């Protein structure tokens, strides 16, 4: 424990049998509170055999672990995780059908504009131009979405959650690379926290882990890389709707006379407003509504493509030969390299396969892509290439020109609807990324609505939704053409893919511990392809490519500023926490009047007494008889099981009646904002904690008596003394040996103590505390909140003052406050102001 921090007493468990009265402090679940030097166990002679069996049985009969309350978790069964969603083929097929309406809309509408953009850079002069471009498109789709995402990246999910932050959380669990220093050893006992690590090449992985943990610059670089990828995903959420809808509506220009650019822009804006207006109904409802339309769209793509191949030129199948890519570059040179910016548009939305994984499942996304999306897209592009072989001048409006005349209007309606649906993929991905970044302390608190009680990953964020809508309308109104938007679109897509490639490579080396040759082959193959595409799209910065860079810079600044300010605030709280000497000097009455009632003091510290507590002592004329420091902490896992969510410990001696509760949430967990349920479960859990503490004390005293009895009965034994010692250590140190060897065997709670080890009902200490707790509850709960103002120190650099005093202060002032999220009556809230100098 840091100097200056308060020494906190908690439930005592014996760790060995030396110094019985000074055993190590532990959390209620048995994990260690602070790192303390372990004293050697006493040497037991072989004479202590008789009584060993009965003593060992008593040691094994530990009290059943009682983790506290699930005070703010939505009533969603934790069995509804992503692996259980794959339980049956039928449910997987149903989810696969639904993914068509959410995940693959963006990629599915790419045939609307890919060849139009490619051949605007490379004029069609021979079959080599068409076959080379087709071969490029075919192998790009095969290499990136199919080989990279379907077979590799999707497997790097974090318990079913995808996206750049999911990869970051995986890395944070294995290596302590988070910048906020609130990680506890107790977090590693969460079942979903532990990683099943293979033993091969563990030494190399641990070496890389140590390097990351010791180098703050590498930690910051890793965080910036994750924030960059997240910012680009949000940028995609802005560009995708504008690009898709504008491309679909522009088909009317060639069909209706006097239908100009202004009319296209107006109709596109109307469609965009309708699209964002229906987001509030949730991903599930939108997915089931959109999935049949997208299924019809992919069927149309495949059937029209096959029709054009048969009617115009079946020999486009020659593009399967990758040599045509070489011929294409040899013939067109620099123009071919420039055309790569249009070719990359065929895989727009590929990142949504991973980012939207939290809404569905790995198997569903794999089934939908391999069985429906991939073959239909190949047929669509081959059909367009076959049409261009006979009509090379039709590349400007190739999609609608290649549609049979009698099918134009039905296809146009479906294409317009599909363009709306295409936007859904990146909108859902944007919501997921914002939620994850908020949970990991990288985005200001904003309102999140969970639209499904079955799948907790399906969310809706009103502020982000309307922000995306406004930005889409502005982009459509300013650019008015898909060509400039396409230049911006490509940069955002390629940057996100490069970030994913880098993070997955790190996961391979650190967590999967893949052979170095295979890991770097993955990085070399996919990284090289993405770098080539990046070199092409970066050349379009002046032609619209600056747009995603501007969006990324804005969101990256917001996220990093919030993370930086939060980290400095936490470090300030740690430095200024109240010392144990001061608390002991105040006495059990804390230098004030203690009146019946429960005070719930929210703070961010996981140990020690927060400095804001002094402000309450100085401000309030009286203080509650029971004080609980509540810390809401997010850990780098998707979901924390209910039974492992809360940790309790006692602060100060018993007569102070001060406790600490650390509530751990994953970045996908839902917090139910019901203060009545909170208070009820609080009392129940605190009651269990007090009873458990009494049982632990009874167990300790009985063990001491049994040890004395065993030592007084010398008998011969075939077991060496060390064996006896190790057997006795096992139930007391909670599988520490397995943790030291790197295994992830799940800890199982021991059975409840027999009645002989339970404290009697006449235990005066326990009865007194329980009666005091009931009296306090009868007087009600009050929420004690600190309204903190964060300011940079006077001797700080100008940049730091600018960031903290203005940018971070602005974000704190306009983000969602604690009182809004808890929905507690104002009469039950007491706030005090406090300034943190960082």
């Amino acid at each position: 424990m840091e100097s200056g921090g308060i020494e906190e007493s908690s439930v005592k468990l014996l760790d060995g049998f030396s110094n019985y009265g000074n055993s190590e402090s532990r959390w209620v679940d048995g994990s260690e509170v602070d790192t303390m030097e372990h004293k050697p166990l006493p040497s037991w002679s072989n004479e202590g055999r008789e009584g060993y069996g009965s003593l060992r049985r008593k040691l094994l009969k530990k009290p059943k672990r009682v983790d506290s309350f699930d005070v703010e978790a939505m009533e969603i069964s934790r069995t509804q995780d992503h692996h259980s969603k794959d339980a049956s083929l039928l449910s997987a097929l149903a989810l696969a059908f639904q993914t068509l309406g959410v995940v693959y809309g963006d990629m599915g509408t790419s045939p609307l504009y890919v060849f139009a953009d490619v051949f605007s850079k490379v004029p069609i002069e021979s079959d080599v131009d068409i076959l080379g471009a087709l071969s490029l498109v075919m192998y790009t789709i095969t290499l990136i979405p199919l080989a990279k995402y379907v077979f590799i990246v999707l497997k790097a999910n974090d318990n079913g959650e995808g996206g750049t932050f999911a990869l970051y959380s995986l890395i944070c669990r294995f290596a302590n690379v988070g910048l906020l220093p609130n990680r506890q050893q107790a977090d590693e006992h969460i079942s979903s926290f532990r990683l099943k690590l293979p033993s091969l090449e563990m030494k190399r992985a641990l070496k890389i882990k140590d390097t990351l943990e010791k180098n703050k610059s590498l930690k910051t670089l890793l965080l910036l890389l994750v924030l960059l990828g997240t910012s680009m995903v949000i940028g995609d959420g802005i560009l995708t709707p504008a690009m898709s809808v504008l491309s679909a509506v522009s088909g009317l220009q060639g069909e209706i006379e006097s239908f100009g650019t202004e009319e296209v822009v107006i109709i596109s804006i109307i469609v965009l407003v309708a699209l964002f207006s229906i987001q509030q109904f949730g991903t599930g409802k939108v997915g089931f509504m959109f999935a049949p339309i997208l299924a019809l769209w992919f069927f149309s793509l495949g059937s029209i493509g096959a029709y054009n191949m048969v009617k115009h030129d079946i020999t486009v199948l020659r593009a399967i030969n990758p040599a045509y890519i070489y011929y294409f570059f040899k013939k067109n040179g620099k123009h071919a390299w420039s055309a790569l910016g249009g070719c990359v548009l065929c895989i727009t939305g590929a990142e949504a396969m991973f980012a939207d994984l939290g809404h569905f499942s790995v198997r569903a996304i794999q089934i939908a892509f391999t069985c429906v999306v991939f073959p239909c897209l190949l047929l669509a592009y081959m059909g367009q290439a076959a049409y261009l072989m006979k009509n090379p001048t039709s590349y400007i409006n190739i999609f609608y020109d290649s549609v049979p005349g009698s099918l134009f209007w039905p296809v146009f309606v479906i294409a317009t609807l599909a363009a709306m649906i295409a936007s859904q993929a990146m909108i859902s991905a944007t919501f997921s990324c914002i939620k994850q970044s908020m949970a990991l302390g990288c985005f200001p608190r904003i309102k999140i609505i969970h639209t499904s009680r079955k799948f907790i990953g399906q969310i809706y964020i009103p502020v982000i939704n309307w922000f995306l809508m406004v930005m889409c309308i502005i982009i459509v109104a300013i650019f008015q053409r898909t060509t400039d938007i396409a230049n911006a679109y490509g940069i955002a897509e390629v940057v996100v893919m490069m970030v994913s490639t880098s993070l997955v490579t790190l996961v391979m080396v650190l967590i999967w511990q893949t052979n170095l040759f295979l890991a770097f082959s993955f990085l070399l193959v996919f990284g090289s392809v993405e770098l080539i595409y990046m070199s092409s799209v970066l050349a379009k910065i002046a032609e619209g490519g600056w747009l995603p860079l501007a969006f990324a810079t804005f969101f990256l600044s917001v996220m990093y500023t919030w993370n930086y300010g939060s980290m400095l605030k936490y470090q300030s709280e740690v430095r200024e926490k109240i010392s144990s000497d001061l608390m002991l000097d105040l006495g059990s009455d804390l230098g004030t009047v203690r009146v019946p009632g429960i005070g719930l003091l929210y703070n961010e510290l996981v140990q020690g007494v927060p400095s804001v507590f002094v402000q309450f002592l100085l401000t309030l004329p009286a203080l509650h008889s029971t004080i609980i420091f509540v810390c809401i902490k997010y850990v780098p896992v998707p979901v924390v099981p209910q039974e492992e969510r809360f940790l309790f410990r006692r602060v100060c001696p018993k007569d102070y009646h001060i406790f600490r509760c650390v509530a751990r949430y994953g970045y996908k967990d839902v917090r139910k904002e019901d203060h009545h349920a909170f208070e009820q479960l609080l009392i129940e859990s605190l009651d269990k904690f007090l009873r458990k503490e009494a049982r632990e004390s009874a167990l300790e005293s009985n063990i001491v008596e049994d040890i004395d009895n065993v030592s007084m009965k010398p008998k011969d034994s075939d077991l060496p003394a060390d064996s006896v010692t190790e057997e006795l250590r096992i139930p007391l140190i909670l599988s520490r040996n397995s943790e030291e060897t790197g295994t992830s065997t799940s800890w199982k709670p021991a059975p409840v103590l027999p009645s002989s080890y339970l404290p009697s009902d006449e235990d005066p200490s326990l009865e007194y505390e329980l009666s005091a707790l009931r009296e306090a509850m009868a007087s009600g709960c009050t929420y004690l909140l600190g309204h903190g103002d964060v300011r940079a120190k006077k001797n700080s650099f100008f940049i730091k003052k600018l960031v903290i005093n203005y940018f971070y202060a602005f974000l704190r002032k306009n983000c969602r406050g604690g009182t809004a999220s808890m929905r507690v009556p104002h009469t039950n809230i007491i706030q005090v102001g406090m300034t943190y100098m960082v």
Side-chain angles (χ1 to χ4, degrees):
M1 184 176 291
E2 298 186 26
S3 59
I6 183 168
E7 187 86 18
E8 300 185 7
S9 62
S10 65
V11 177
K12 308 271 187 176
L13 288 179
L14 279 174
D15 187 8
F17 300 108
S18 61
N19 199 353
Y20 305 133
N22 295 315
S23 57
E24 180 183 4
S25 295
R26 294 178 180 270
W27 288 101
V28 67
D29 68 347
S31 55
E32 294 183 31
V33 172
D34 301 303
T35 303
M36 302 179 68
E37 184 177 354
H38 299 294
K39 298 183 179 181
L41 291 172
S43 176
W44 282 32
S45 67
N46 292 344
E47 298 173 349
R49 291 179 305 177
E50 185 173 341
Y52 163 72
S54 61
L55 174 58
R56 183 174 183 272
R57 283 193 296 272
K58 291 176 182 178
L59 289 173
L60 287 172
K61 292 181 179 180
K62 297 173 70 265
K64 185 176 181 180
R65 183 171 74 172
V66 182
D67 285 299
S68 307
F69 48 98
D70 184 14
V71 295
E72 299 173 8
M74 178 176 278
E75 294 89 344
I76 297 174
S77 173
R78 292 305 176 192
T79 59
Q80 292 288 349
D81 59 14
H82 292 276
H83 298 292
S84 64
K85 285 190 289 185
D86 289 345
S88 68
L89 180 61
L90 184 62
S91 63
L93 291 176
L95 276 177
F97 179 74
Q98 192 175 343
T99 60
L100 295 177
V102 176
V103 177
Y104 294 112
D106 191 6
M107 199 182 305
T109 54
S110 58
L112 288 169
Y113 44 77
V114 169
F115 279 151
D117 194 81
V118 168
F119 292 118
S120 67
K121 312 291 192 305
V122 176
I124 300 177
E125 298 173 349
S126 66
D127 292 355
V128 171
D129 298 319
I130 298 174
L131 293 176
L134 176 60
S135 187
L136 264 175
V137 169
M138 291 172 61
Y139 280 99
T140 300
I141 296 175
T142 303
L143 192 63
I144 303 297
L146 184 64
K148 176 185 171 182
Y149 280 95
V150 170
F151 291 113
I152 300 175
V153 175
L154 285 179
K155 296 181 180 179
N157 67 85
D158 185 11
N159 292 331
E161 189 71 15
T164 51
F165 266 103
L167 293 173
Y168 183 60
S169 75
L170 275 176
I171 297 169
C172 285
R173 292 217 299 279
F174 181 77
N176 188 15
V177 295
L179 295 180
L180 195 65
N182 65 347
R183 181 162 172 172
Q184 299 170 278
Q185 185 178 358
D187 296 338
E188 299 176 10
H189 292 284
I190 302 174
S191 57
S192 57
F193 191 99
R194 300 175 183 177
L195 300 171
K196 295 182 179 180
L197 302 176
S199 58
L200 298 177
E201 305 184 17
M202 173 71 77
K203 185 176 181 180
R204 181 201 70 211
L206 292 177
K207 186 176 181 180
I208 298 174
K209 171 180 177 289
D210 292 339
T211 303
L212 284 173
E213 291 180 342
K214 294 176 181 177
N215 194 320
K216 187 176 180 180
S217 298
L218 289 179
K219 292 182 181 181
T220 304
L221 180 63
L222 181 62
L223 178 64
L224 287 174
L225 184 66
V226 172
L227 296 182
L228 176 63
T230 305
S231 302
M232 284 297 182
V233 170
I234 299 172
D236 269 354
I238 298 172
L239 295 173
T240 299
M243 181 72 178
S244 302
V245 173
L246 196 60
S247 299
V249 177
S250 62
L252 293 175
Q253 286 183 292
E255 188 69 16
I256 301 176
E257 296 182 5
S258 71
F259 196 87
T261 303
E262 292 184 2
E263 288 78 8
V264 170
V265 170
I266 292 173
I267 293 180
S268 298
I269 290 175
I270 293 173
V271 172
L272 287 171
V273 171
L275 170 67
F276 285 100
S277 297
I278 64 175
Q279 294 301 314
Q280 58 187 310
F281 298 109
T283 305
K285 296 182 179 65
V286 171
F288 273 116
M289 181 174 64
F290 282 170
I293 300 173
L294 253 297
L296 184 59
W297 169 251
F298 281 112
F299 174 76
S300 301
L301 287 179
S303 56
I304 293 174
Y307 168 80
N308 284 325
M309 286 174 59
V310 173
K311 180 179 180 180
H312 298 290
D313 194 344
I314 193 68
T315 61
V316 293
L317 290 172
R318 290 177 291 167
I320 295 175
N321 183 358
Y324 281 100
I325 298 177
Y326 168 75
Y327 301 145
F328 180 74
F329 278 93
K330 182 179 179 181
K331 176 180 180 299
N332 297 289
K334 185 178 179 180
H335 295 293
W337 171 77
S338 179
L340 287 176
C343 179
V344 77
L345 297 178
C346 71
I347 53 174
T348 54
E351 180 62 25
M353 297 168 63
F354 189 48
D356 284 337
L357 183 58
H359 296 259
F360 303 103
S361 69
V362 173
R363 185 188 298 181
I365 292 177
Q366 290 174 330
I367 290 174
F369 185 81
T370 55
C371 298
V372 179
V373 179
F374 183 64
C376 289
L377 286 178
L378 292 185
L379 286 174
Y381 288 115
M382 287 190 288
Q384 291 184 18
Y387 185 86
L388 287 174
M389 296 288 275
K390 301 297 183 182
N391 306 279
T393 59
S394 299
Y395 71 88
I396 297 176
N397 201 21
I398 175 59
F399 177 78
Y400 286 109
D401 287 350
S402 64
V403 175
S406 59
L407 297 177
F408 174 83
W409 285 108
V411 171
F412 171 77
V413 173
I414 298 174
T416 304
L417 294 174
M420 295 176 61
I421 298 165
S423 310
Q424 183 64 44
M426 294 315 301
I427 293 172
S428 300
T430 300
F431 291 162
S432 296
C433 287
I434 294 293
K435 171 68 167 64
Q436 293 174 7
S437 59
M438 282 177 58
L440 295 179
C442 296
F443 202 87
R445 296 182 299 272
I446 53 180
K447 184 177 182 179
I448 295 179
I449 298 174
H450 293 261
T451 58
S452 172
R453 297 186 67 85
K454 185 177 182 183
F455 301 119
I456 59 178
Q458 298 183 359
I459 59 176
Y460 166 68
I461 306 178
V463 173
I464 299 299
N465 183 68
W466 302 123
F467 173 79
L468 295 179
M469 186 190 76
V470 171
M471 296 308 299
C472 284
I473 292 174
I474 292 174
I475 289 172
V476 169
I478 292 177
F479 285 89
Q480 298 186 351
R481 296 189 308 142
T482 59
T483 305
D484 291 338
I485 300 178
N487 294 332
Y489 204 12
I491 292 180
E493 286 290 337
V494 177
V495 170
V496 173
M497 292 177 185
M498 292 179 66
V499 170
S500 294
T501 299
S502 304
L503 293 178
V504 170
T505 303
L506 191 56
V507 168
M508 283 179 160
V509 174
L510 270 179
I511 300 172
W512 292 354
Q513 295 160 20
T514 309
N515 181 276
L516 277 178
F517 174 77
L518 295 178
F520 284 105
S521 295
F522 170 83
L523 179 64
L524 181 64
V525 172
F526 296 109
S528 300
V529 172
E530 290 158 1
L531 277 175
I532 293 172
Y533 279 124
M534 176 59 74
S535 66
S536 176
V537 296
L538 282 179
K540 312 292 192 306
I541 289 181
E543 303 171 15
W546 57 269
L547 193 61
L549 298 180
F551 285 135
T553 301
F554 171 73
F555 282 104
L556 182 62
S557 301
V558 170
M559 289 190 286
Y560 187 74
T561 298
W562 184 263
N563 180 269
Y564 178 66
S566 300
M567 179 187 66
L568 292 181
K569 179 178 178 292
Y570 185 87
Q571 291 174 347
S572 175
E573 287 191 81
V574 171
R575 288 194 305 269
E576 297 173 5
K577 62 186 179 182
I578 302 174
S579 67
S580 58
D581 293 337
L582 175 59
M583 294 296 292
L584 294 175
D585 290 343
L586 290 174
S588 60
D589 60 356
L590 299 175
T592 185
V593 179
R594 303 292 293 271
V595 296
I598 298 176
L600 306 177
L601 195 155
Y602 277 76
N603 68 103
E604 297 180 6
L605 290 182
V606 294
Q607 65 179 14
V609 178
S611 56
V612 71
F613 186 58
V614 173
Q615 299 298 319
F616 284 105
L617 290 176
L618 297 175
T619 305
L620 301 180
L623 205 63
H624 305 83
S625 58
T626 300
I627 300 293
I628 302 177
F629 299 138
V630 181
C631 172
I632 305 294
K633 185 178 77 168
Y634 284 91
V635 291
V637 295
V639 173
V640 176
Q642 284 185 354
E643 66 274 11
E644 300 175 3
R645 185 181 306 282
F646 293 91
L647 299 175
F648 269 92
R649 66 191 293 188
R650 186 186 292 276
V651 180
C652 299
K654 281 189 175 184
D655 55 344
Y656 280 64
H657 302 292
I658 301 179
F659 305 89
R660 172 178 305 286
C661 170
V662 177
R664 303 173 297 182
Y665 287 87
Y667 55 79
K668 279 187 57 187
D669 274 321
V670 184
R671 291 174 56 192
K672 184 179 178 182
E673 298 154 348
D674 182 358
H675 72 98
H676 292 297
F678 177 92
E679 296 164 5
Q680 181 63 34
L681 291 172
L682 170 66
I683 301 308
E684 293 177 1
S685 59
L686 192 51
D687 180 278
K688 293 177 182 177
F689 171 77
L690 295 173
R691 295 180 186 277
K692 178 180 175 62
E693 185 182 45
R695 288 199 300 265
E696 297 282 352
S697 299
L699 172 63
E700 181 177 341
S701 61
N702 277 276
I703 289 174
V704 172
E705 293 176 3
D706 283 340
I707 293 172
D708 293 337
N709 293 334
V710 170
S711 61
M712 294 174 61
K713 296 180 180 180
K715 296 286 182 179
D716 294 334
S717 176
D718 297 330
L719 293 174
D722 291 342
S723 299
V724 177
T725 301
E726 289 301 318
E727 290 282 356
L728 290 170
R729 283 174 58 88
I730 290 174
L732 297 176
I733 66 173
L734 296 174
S735 304
R736 180 180 301 154
N737 292 340
S738 64
E739 291 174 16
E740 291 175 352
T741 57
T743 59
S744 60
T745 305
S746 298
W747 177 79
K748 298 181 180 179
V752 181
L753 276 175
S755 58
S756 60
Y757 281 86
L758 296 178
S760 64
D761 294 336
E762 290 76 26
D763 184 347
S765 174
L766 176 60
E767 283 302 317
Y768 170 74
E769 285 206 278
L770 292 179
S771 62
L773 179 60
R774 288 190 290 267
E775 181 183 1
M777 183 57 187
S779 300
C781 295
T782 302
Y783 295 77
L784 308 177
L785 306 177
H787 183 69
D789 184 21
V790 182
R791 308 289 294 177
K793 295 180 180 178
K794 291 184 178 180
N795 59 349
S796 302
F797 291 109
F798 172 75
I799 300 269
K800 181 178 179 180
K801 290 182 178 179
L802 181 66
V803 171
I804 298 299
N805 296 348
Y806 295 97
F807 296 156
Y808 181 66
F810 175 80
L811 293 175
R812 280 182 61 86
K813 183 178 179 181
N814 292 277
C815 73
R816 199 168 191 232
T819 55
S821 61
M822 289 189 294
R823 294 183 184 176
V824 179
H826 291 293
T827 55
N828 291 20
I829 296 176
I830 299 178
Q831 282 187 301
V832 296
M834 186 169 182
T835 300
Y836 297 94
M837 302 303 296
V838 298

